[in-house]
């Protein structure tokens, strides 16, 4: 069964335009010029139970708008949207009790009180049983390793600790559907890793359906099998991450450190040079030519170190966007 | 169901107690305000026994009661809604199974209870120190009217403050309108002087607005010398404003959310 069903969703905003300066302000007071921003322009997709899907795209691509429509915060301009069979913009509590929206930049914890107080408030709001609540708090805070800070004022916590507590607050009611908007934004590498591992485990353990948007390709690479790439309000790719990697990067990258300075011309015959500074080079080589070219490189040059890498997801996505289509 | 809003009430109460200094200063401010008005009237009555139909006892009682009413009716967090609209944290409410107005009302009651418990303590202290001649109202019927008018005033002010706060759905800053209302309220609410010392024709007009029902009307009821017709008329206007206020509040919320969900931020 499709947990999330989006058909031909459009969301346009009307915004007014103001020319710079005081005169522009006065003019905009009298005669406002409006234009439509097509934040989401006809997208369709389906997400099944237990899927963990990555939403990627540049700033302003329409990712957050889509998540807001799915959470019932925005009314669609046209098209149909169903989450667990309900229309989200009706904001029925039966649906609201089954999903959670976590935005890395919007907090729900009470700033001046310990996280536990906010948890208790959510317990009442979502009408969670006492025993279930205790179990959840223990379980989640152990998974995220924050059991010892639940009674400390939120303002005194680090960003990482706070985000973990935000996550707990959003998961107490065991939502079946989770919308994560930039959950790792601003976190250090260690905290990012903990968050990722947690999301992965949560998805497995509870069969939760998750949509995740992130700027960190690491998040997506680590977590999502399926990705939906949007750009300028349209879906440019919806499918396996692996597939797009193969399609846009049918090559591997050979990274070499030379003993002696090498000449650029000598390397050119092996493939496209991604990087070169005389002593270090990165060369794109078609997958099936990798063994052959590697051995030729080794025999032709004095090589200090050689590794064969997959191209970074970032570079692939960049490729996708610069091509404009898939 | 109601346990939700009880939880909101409790957490607001706890939150209010976190900033003891802030809260203390707020209370100091209201004590100073009370003392200021008190001593102005005290001075006025040094040379006279009666002004504008008020005796020293009745005016000083009015000032004390008005201070109590302020804590009950005018201590409100409803305008905070504008900040939550502006910084977008309103989404946290909209995605939860939670009544928006009920949530704020619960927070408001918590804030009021906190303020009331302090103002009672303050008034007792001032009465002990200043030993003002006060009228202790013992007529049950009058006390009932006073209580009823205060409760209605509480609902009225909540709606007014919430409406102003929700202007943030349309304008970036609701500070201007709020300031304007505060100024009008100081003048026509009856916090500084009882409205009926104004010329009759002005008084009649002012009594048609919602403002005097937030301080003056209940305080005047407490004094117990309002004619029955005036009490009756006052309640009719007050109740009408409560209905208008709550209706407007619902309508504005609906329109505001419609706009919010249409535009997003």
């Amino acid at each position: 069964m499709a947990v999330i069903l989006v058909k031909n969703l459009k969301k346009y905003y009307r915004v007014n335009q103001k020319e710079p300066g005081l005169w522009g302000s006065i003019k905009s007071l009298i005669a406002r010029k409006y234009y439509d921003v097509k934040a989401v322009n006809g997208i369709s997709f389906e997400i099944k139970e237990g899927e963990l899907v990555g939403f990627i795209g540049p700033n302003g691509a329409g990712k957050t708008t889509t998540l807001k429509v799915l959470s019932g915060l925005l009314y669609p301009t046209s098209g149909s949207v169903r989450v667990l069979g309900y229309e989200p913009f009706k904001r029925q509590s039966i649906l609201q009790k089954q999903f959670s929206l976590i935005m890395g930049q919007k907090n729900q914890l009470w700033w001046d009180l310990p996280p536990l107080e906010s948890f208790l408030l959510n317990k009442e709001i979502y009408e969670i049983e006492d025993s279930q609540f205790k179990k959840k708090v223990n379980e989640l805070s152990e998974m995220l390793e924050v059991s010892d800070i639940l009674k400390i004022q939120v303002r005194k916590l680090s960003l990482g600790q706070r985000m973990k507590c935000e996550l707990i607050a959003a998961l107490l009611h065991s939502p079946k559907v989770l919308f994560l908007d930039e959950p790792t934004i601003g976190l250090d590498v260690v905290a990012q890793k903990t968050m990722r591992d947690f999301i992965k485990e949560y998805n497995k353990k509870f069969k939760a359906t998750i949509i995740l948007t992130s700027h960190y390709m690491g998040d997506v690479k680590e977590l999502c099998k399926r990705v939906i790439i949007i750009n300028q309000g349209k879906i440019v790719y919806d499918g396996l991450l692996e597939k797009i990697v193969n399609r846009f990067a049918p090559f591997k990258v050979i990274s070499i450190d030379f003993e002696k300075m090498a000449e650029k011309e000598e390397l050119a015959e092996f493939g496209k040079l991604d990087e070169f500074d005389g002593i270090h080079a990165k060369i794109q080589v078609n997958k099936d030519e990798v063994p052959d070219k590697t051995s030729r490189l080794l025999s032709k040059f004095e090589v200090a170190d050689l590794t064969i890498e997959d191209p970074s997801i970032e570079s692939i996505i960049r490729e996708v966007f610069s091509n404009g289509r898939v | 169901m109601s346990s939700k809003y009880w939880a909101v009430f409790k957490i607001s109460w706890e939150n209010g107690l976190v900033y003891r200094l802030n809260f203390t200063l707020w209370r100091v401010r209201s004590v100073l305000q009370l003392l200021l008005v008190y001593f102005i009237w005290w001075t006025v009555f040094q040379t006279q026994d009666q002004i504008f139909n008020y005796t020293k006892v009745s005016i000083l009682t009015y000032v004390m009661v008005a201070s109590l009413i302020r804590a009950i009716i005018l201590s409100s967090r409803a305008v905070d809604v504008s900040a939550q609209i502006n910084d977008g944290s309103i989404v946290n409410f909209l995605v939860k199974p939670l009544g928006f107005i009920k949530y704020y009302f619960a927070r408001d009651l918590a804030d009021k209870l906190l303020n009331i418990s302090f103002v009672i303590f303050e008034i007792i202290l001032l009465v002990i120190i200043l030993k003002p001649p006060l009228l202790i109202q013992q007529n049950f019927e009058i006390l009932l009217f006073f209580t009823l008018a205060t409760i209605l005033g509480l609902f009225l002010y909540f709606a007014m403050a919430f409406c102003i706060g929700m202007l943030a759905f349309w304008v970036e800053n609701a500070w201007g309108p709020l300031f304007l209302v505060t100024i009008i309220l100081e003048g026509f609410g009856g916090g500084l002087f009882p409205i009926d010392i104004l010329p009759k024709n002005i008084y009649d007009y002012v009594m048609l607005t919602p403002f005097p029902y937030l301080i003056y009307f209940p305080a005047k009821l407490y004094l117990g010398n309002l004619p029955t017709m005036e009490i009756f008329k006052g309640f009719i206007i007050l109740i009408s404003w409560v209905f208008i206020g709550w209706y407007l509040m619902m309508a504005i919320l609906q329109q505001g959310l419609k706009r919010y969900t249409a535009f997003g931020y």
Side-chain angles (χ1 to χ4, degrees):
Chain A
M1 189 194 106
V3 170
I4 297 167
L5 197 68
V6 174
K7 242 185 231 158
N8 214 6
L9 171 70
K10 287 183 184 165
K11 179 68 196 174
Y12 296 171
Y13 300 118
R14 278 194 92 194
V15 292
N16 62 320
Q17 210 170 5
K18 184 183 101 55
E19 282 164 40
L22 180 63
W23 179 236
S25 302
I26 295 169
K27 270 208 312 206
S28 93
L29 263 181
I30 300 161
R32 288 218 165 148
K33 273 191 199 148
Y34 291 97
Y35 66 101
D36 279 336
V37 175
K38 296 175 178 169
V40 173
N41 196 11
I43 64 172
S44 305
F45 60 87
E46 247 187 77
I47 293 173
K48 288 192 204 68
E49 191 183 354
E51 264 192 289
L52 204 172
V53 177
F55 248 43
I56 41 187
N59 284 331
K63 298 173 302 221
T64 304
T65 303
T66 310
L67 287 193
K68 281 185 171 175
V69 171
L70 289 173
S71 321
L73 292 171
L74 293 178
Y75 195 94
T77 307
S78 73
S80 86
V81 177
R82 293 284 183 285
V83 176
L84 295 163
Y86 300 96
E87 290 169 290
F89 54 84
K90 286 189 177 161
R91 295 208 305 275
Q92 291 154 295
S93 50
I94 184 160
L95 172 59
Q96 291 181 322
K97 282 184 181 177
Q98 299 186 72
F99 82 88
S100 227
L101 168 71
I102 301 165
M103 299 172 111
Q105 288 154 315
K106 300 244 160 70
N107 312 314
Q108 64 159 316
L109 298 175
W110 287 56
W111 187 244
D112 300 316
L113 297 172
L116 198 55
E117 297 286 350
S118 299
F119 297 170
L120 282 164
L121 180 62
N122 273 8
K123 168 185 181 290
E124 297 302 332
I125 291 174
Y126 287 105
E127 296 165 46
I128 306 165
E129 303 266 325
D130 281 346
S131 57
Q132 174 70 8
F133 173 77
K134 271 184 202 135
K135 201 184 121 200
K136 266 290 174 203
V137 171
N138 288 337
E139 189 178 5
L140 294 171
S141 52
E142 262 163 43
M143 274 168 94
L144 286 163
E145 295 161 1
V146 287
S147 310
D148 50 337
I149 56 152
L150 297 182
K151 289 178 184 165
I152 299 173
Q153 229 186 3
V154 171
R155 59 184 312 135
K156 290 181 183 141
L157 301 178
S158 72
L159 178 68
Q161 291 171 324
R162 217 191 319 142
M163 261 325 281
K164 288 175 185 173
C165 292
E166 286 283 343
L167 206 55
I168 295 175
L171 297 175
L172 287 173
H173 61 289
S174 319
K176 286 183 190 153
V177 180
L178 217 53
F179 303 126
L180 299 168
D181 194 19
E182 304 280 351
T184 56
I185 202 159
L187 298 184
D188 65 43
V189 186
V190 182
Q192 264 185 37
K193 172 98 171 60
T194 323
M195 282 295 241
R196 267 179 215 161
D197 291 346
F198 175 79
I199 294 168
K200 203 180 209 168
E201 202 180 331
Y202 189 87
N203 168 250
K204 258 194 209 144
K205 202 166 167 183
F206 302 103
K207 292 207 170 53
T209 310
I210 304 178
I211 298 184
L212 168 110
T213 79
S214 184
H215 274 109
Y216 299 113
M217 287 309 158
D219 288 348
V220 178
K221 194 172 162 187
E222 186 77 19
L223 294 171
C224 312
K225 267 193 194 141
R226 174 179 167 196
V227 290
I228 295 177
I229 306 179
I230 30 183
N231 194 20
Q232 295 174 344
K234 284 189 185 290
I235 292 183
V236 290
Y237 178 80
D238 179 355
L240 296 177
L241 180 62
E242 198 182 308
K243 231 178 185 170
I244 196 164
V245 170
N246 287 337
R247 175 126 46 119
F248 275 86
F251 54 83
K252 295 237 177 198
V253 175
I254 300 181
S255 172
I256 321 169
D257 290 326
F258 299 106
E259 292 281 10
K260 280 187 277 182
M261 294 292 260
E263 290 299 321
K264 203 171 180 176
E265 291 73 37
E266 289 179 299
L267 284 167
E269 59 166 304
F270 288 93
K272 191 176 160 225
L273 280 179
D274 274 353
E275 275 171 36
F276 181 72
D277 62 4
I279 198 82
H280 174 82
K282 281 192 171 183
I283 315 168
Q284 286 185 12
V285 176
N286 278 339
K287 275 186 184 157
D288 44 0
E289 294 171 346
V290 170
D292 174 43
K293 290 205 169 154
T294 311
S295 63
R296 276 173 52 209
L297 276 165
L298 287 170
S299 60
K300 191 164 177 182
F301 301 95
E302 279 184 52
V303 174
D305 189 21
L306 183 146
T307 48
I308 299 162
E309 301 161 353
D310 279 320
S312 69
I313 303 273
E314 281 93 338
S315 68
I316 297 167
I317 301 295
R318 225 179 293 132
E319 186 89 353
V320 174
F321 288 132
S322 65
N323 270 20
R325 62 189 173 76
V326 177
Chain B
M1 186 65 193
S2 61
S3 68
K4 262 185 214 187
Y5 303 102
W6 174 238
V8 174
F9 180 89
K10 275 197 300 192
I11 199 170
S12 306
W13 179 274
E14 284 162 27
N15 202 48
L17 287 172
V18 171
Y19 288 104
R20 277 160 295 190
L21 179 66
N22 200 3
F23 186 76
T24 312
L25 287 178
W26 171 253
R27 289 316 317 169
V28 168
R29 175 187 175 274
S30 65
V31 171
L32 287 178
Q33 201 171 19
L34 170 61
L35 286 177
L36 180 75
V37 181
Y38 180 89
F39 280 115
I40 287 174
W41 285 108
W42 181 271
T43 315
V44 168
F45 277 94
Q46 286 298 81
T47 53
Q48 282 156 293
D49 288 337
Q50 184 153 9
I51 309 168
F52 314 114
N53 290 326
Y54 280 88
T55 60
K56 190 172 175 180
V57 175
S58 58
I59 202 83
L60 294 182
T61 307
Y62 179 91
V63 171
M64 289 289 183
V65 174
S67 173
L68 175 67
I69 294 170
R70 255 179 204 279
I72 300 173
I73 297 182
L74 298 188
S75 65
S76 169
R77 303 237 58 94
V79 288
D80 287 1
V81 71
S82 69
Q84 305 210 301
I85 294 169
N86 281 331
D87 71 16
S89 52
I90 185 181
V91 303
N92 287 328
F93 304 99
L94 298 181
V95 295
K96 285 179 188 168
L98 190 68
F100 199 47
I101 290 176
K102 284 186 208 156
Y103 169 83
Y104 267 99
F105 199 67
R107 290 204 60 181
D108 238 34
L109 289 182
D111 202 52
K112 284 178 200 303
L113 202 64
L114 204 60
N115 274 288
I116 292 167
S117 43
F118 275 80
V119 82
I120 289 175
F121 171 73
E122 289 157 17
I123 289 177
I124 291 173
L125 206 66
L126 287 179
V127 168
I128 292 171
I129 297 170
L130 301 170
K131 298 192 182 64
L134 286 182
L135 171 80
I136 307 297
Q137 186 57 258
Q138 283 164 341
N139 183 324
F140 177 74
E141 204 171 297
I142 287 172
L143 286 175
L144 193 72
F145 280 145
F146 163 72
T147 312
L148 189 64
T150 307
I151 292 169
L152 285 168
L154 178 159
F155 278 94
L156 175 59
Y157 187 67
F158 177 80
M160 286 168 71
F162 206 73
C163 285
I164 294 166
M166 284 191 297
L167 288 179
F169 279 124
W170 290 269
V171 294
E172 239 122 88
N173 205 327
W175 227 91
L178 180 64
F179 189 66
L180 186 69
V181 169
T182 315
I183 295 286
I184 298 175
L185 192 56
E186 282 304 323
F188 295 143
L192 298 176
F193 54 87
I195 306 297
D196 57 350
I197 67 172
L198 292 171
K200 180 83 172 77
N201 53 346
I202 297 179
Y203 170 80
D204 284 342
Y205 280 118
V206 171
M207 288 309 286
L208 290 176
T209 70
F211 302 103
Y213 299 91
L214 301 175
I215 300 177
Y216 166 76
F217 185 63
K220 184 76 184 172
L221 278 174
Y222 179 88
L223 293 182
N225 52 6
L226 215 53
T228 316
M229 255 324 273
E230 287 286 303
I231 296 177
F232 189 64
K233 209 175 110 189
F235 269 106
I236 288 186
I237 299 174
L238 171 55
I239 290 169
S240 311
W241 275 119
V242 171
F243 274 106
I244 294 170
W246 276 68
Y247 176 79
L248 275 179
M249 177 173 69
M250 306 283 194
I252 292 176
L253 179 62
Q254 211 172 25
Q255 286 304 311
L257 284 181
K258 210 170 176 183
R259 185 184 153 90
Y260 190 87
T261 54
F263 288 73
Y265 285 94

